[in-house]
Amino acid sequence: MSTTLFTNAKMIDGRLCDIAVAAGRITAIEPAGVSSPQAERIDIAGQLLVPGFVEGHIHLDTSFYGDTWVPHRPCTNGFDVHERVAFQADNMAKAAPMEERARKQLDLCIANGTLQMRSHVMVDGSVGLTSLETILAVRETYRELIDIQIVAFPQSGILKSPGTPDLLDAAIGLGADVVGGLDPASFDRSIDGHLDVVFGVAEKRGVSIDIHLHDAGTLGAFTIEEICDRTVALGMQGRVAVSHAYGLGDLGTDAARKIAGKIARSGVSIMTNAPGNHSFPPVALLRQEGVTVFSGSDNIRDSWWPFGDGDLLRRAEIISYRSGFYTDMDLASAFDVVTSAGAMALGLEGYGIEIGAKADFVTLDAEHVPLAVVSVPKARRVFKAGKLISQPS
Ligand SMILES: [Zn+2]
């Protein structure tokens, strides 16, 4: 079994180390210079070496990244999920083939050091399982480069889109890993009806759950409590996520702290990408109460907004900026959101820079993590299973 030695790697804690890798896993971490000289060597030259970023929420099927520019259409009377879904259907009909767009988006993410991903893929009465089939095929061709979890995402609702309950079940049978949901109250007008289907499929198929929840204020908070109760009732702690959870950002501190305790005890994770001028979950408060907070790009150049660069380090900067994170400890916590906390939320095995973990890592030209978060250095070498898969051109 051949060993590769990654020499002079700056660890997150500041130590300079040599990291031995064999069969795609880290087998030893020693102070720099003391390791066996026989192995093949790759010099990290004192750069920061961090685990691959965890893209916890993206949409590989609906991005126009790399396609022609699609000007953003505003909603006619404030943000309206139904209207945005209709805009998306119009835009998708004119877009380049999905496989091509998904590949471009994946290439972008990998070059930025993302090696683990959770992508939502539309499954509903309009597209059936066709988008899922395409993204499953793309995933297969990228399996040596990035690990991808796929969420069967009912973009058009579950109760409002005939046939979707059966399609979600069939999607898991076809290869999706996680069952999704969308605004049980405001979209489907029935929290219980919607969650009965989502948790029903999860229980039957033994899969995790990740629900888009845009609902604001107490409606959003109430829905989260319902999700927490069902999670505990089914013993699904650690396997349920709520994406966006904007409502948590609308609550006063006392109310937010109270529900944060419940979320933590239920083992429900919260995903935020700190978007635009929207209220978003209080990241520091949630983490203080023990909630796993993770992040993702969400939409990249799609029908929802024109932003996104597939860079989770940039996302950590955005989260820090919007959360008022200035101290080293706070900046490091934002970095944790896009790395280790993401791995926990996604239930990843073998994540991190430690003996026995997968040799999936990225080099950053920064002295330490807080500086990386505020400076977002772009020249990165990306290693998957110890093999170089991307480097600065
Ligand atoms: Zn989304």
Side-chain angles (χ1 to χ4, degrees):
M1 188 167 63
S2 69
T3 298
T4 304
L5 200 60
F6 295 81
T7 59
N8 303 308
K10 174 81 73 76
M11 309 293 280
I12 285 177
D13 62 12
R15 289 177 299 144
L16 205 57
C17 290
D18 294 343
I19 298 171
V21 171
R25 298 261 173 179
I26 296 172
T27 56
I29 300 175
E30 306 275 1
V34 304
S35 305
S36 154
Q38 282 89 5
E40 179 201 349
R41 287 166 173 260
I42 296 176
D43 189 4
I44 303 300
Q47 292 197 323
L48 200 54
L49 187 136
V50 302
F53 296 115
V54 179
E55 170 60 78
H57 188 119
I58 198 168
H59 294 261
L60 287 175
D61 52 340
T62 50
S63 170
F64 301 113
Y65 179 79
D67 197 355
T68 51
W69 176 255
V70 179
H72 180 77
R73 278 170 77 184
C75 292
T76 50
N77 190 22
F79 179 77
D80 179 343
V81 174
H82 293 82
E83 197 171 18
R84 294 241 67 85
V85 171
F87 290 165
Q88 180 167 272
D90 284 353
N91 289 335
M92 292 292 289
K94 302 171 210 150
M98 184 179 294
E99 181 190 344
E100 202 177 293
R101 290 182 286 107
R103 283 175 171 278
K104 285 178 177 169
Q105 202 171 189
L106 282 170
D107 292 343
L108 172 74
C109 294
I110 291 166
N112 281 317
T114 289
L115 296 171
Q116 309 281 346
M117 172 181 282
R118 172 177 283 183
S119 174
H120 296 252
V121 176
M122 271 178 72
V123 170
D124 65 12
S126 64
V127 301
L129 298 172
T130 56
S131 297
L132 176 63
E133 286 164 353
T134 301
I135 300 303
L136 283 168
V138 172
R139 172 169 77 173
E140 188 58 28
T141 63
Y142 275 74
R143 61 182 302 162
E144 304 285 312
L145 304 175
I146 184 168
D147 301 325
I148 305 173
Q149 291 182 358
I150 295 178
V151 184
F153 173 44
Q155 174 80 82
S156 303
I158 293 176
L159 309 180
K160 296 273 182 180
S161 179
T164 298
D166 288 340
L167 284 169
L168 290 175
D169 184 60
I172 302 300
L174 201 58
D177 310 277
V178 180
V179 58
L182 171 68
D183 294 333
S186 65
F187 204 100
D188 267 350
R189 315 296 292 182
S190 171
I191 295 174
D192 278 343
H194 190 100
L195 295 182
D196 280 349
V197 174
V198 174
F199 279 85
V201 172
E203 189 179 19
K204 175 184 168 192
R205 295 284 190 171
V207 294
S208 299
I209 289 173
D210 193 328
I211 298 174
H212 278 68
L213 184 63
H214 306 93
D215 288 337
T218 50
L219 178 59
F222 178 79
T223 304
I224 291 170
E225 291 197 76
E226 292 290 293
I227 291 169
C228 288
D229 288 342
R230 285 177 183 255
T231 299
V232 172
L234 289 179
M236 287 189 66
Q237 295 93 329
R239 298 178 53 210
V240 176
V242 176
S243 287
H244 301 305
Y246 293 147
L248 294 177
D250 297 326
L251 304 176
T253 303
D254 288 348
R257 202 170 288 285
K258 190 170 168 210
I259 192 170
K262 178 164 186 168
I263 297 167
R265 288 190 298 277
S266 307
V268 170
S269 303
I270 300 292
M271 192 299 299
T272 183
N273 62 329
N277 61 352
H278 219 290
S279 59
F280 71 107
V283 175
L285 181 150
L286 289 170
R287 285 174 57 90
Q288 282 163 11
E289 295 299 320
V291 178
T292 301
V293 181
F294 66 116
S295 189
S297 301
D298 195 12
N299 311 104
I300 296 181
R301 314 273 170 82
D302 70 359
S303 305
W304 297 72
W305 71 353
F307 297 105
D309 62 359
D311 186 351
L312 267 296
L313 190 56
R314 172 83 63 205
R315 188 60 51 189
E317 183 200 30
I318 291 169
I319 289 169
S320 298
Y321 188 91
R322 290 211 61 207
S323 299
F325 288 173
Y326 302 151
T327 66
D328 283 6
M329 191 183 293
D330 282 345
L331 293 169
S333 76
F335 188 84
D336 185 70
V337 165
V338 300
T339 53
S340 299
M344 186 173 289
L346 269 58
L348 302 179
E349 178 274 329
Y351 184 86
I353 308 297
E354 57 190 34
I355 294 171
K358 292 179 180 173
D360 296 349
F361 40 70
V362 186
T363 64
L364 299 174
D365 188 9
E367 278 177 47
H368 47 68
V369 163
L371 185 58
V373 171
V374 300
S375 62
V376 194
K378 285 304 253 185
R380 304 172 193 177
R381 278 187 286 172
V382 183
F383 297 90
K384 177 71 176 162
K387 294 196 178 74
L388 180 66
I389 61 168
S390 180
Q391 61 185 325
S393 50

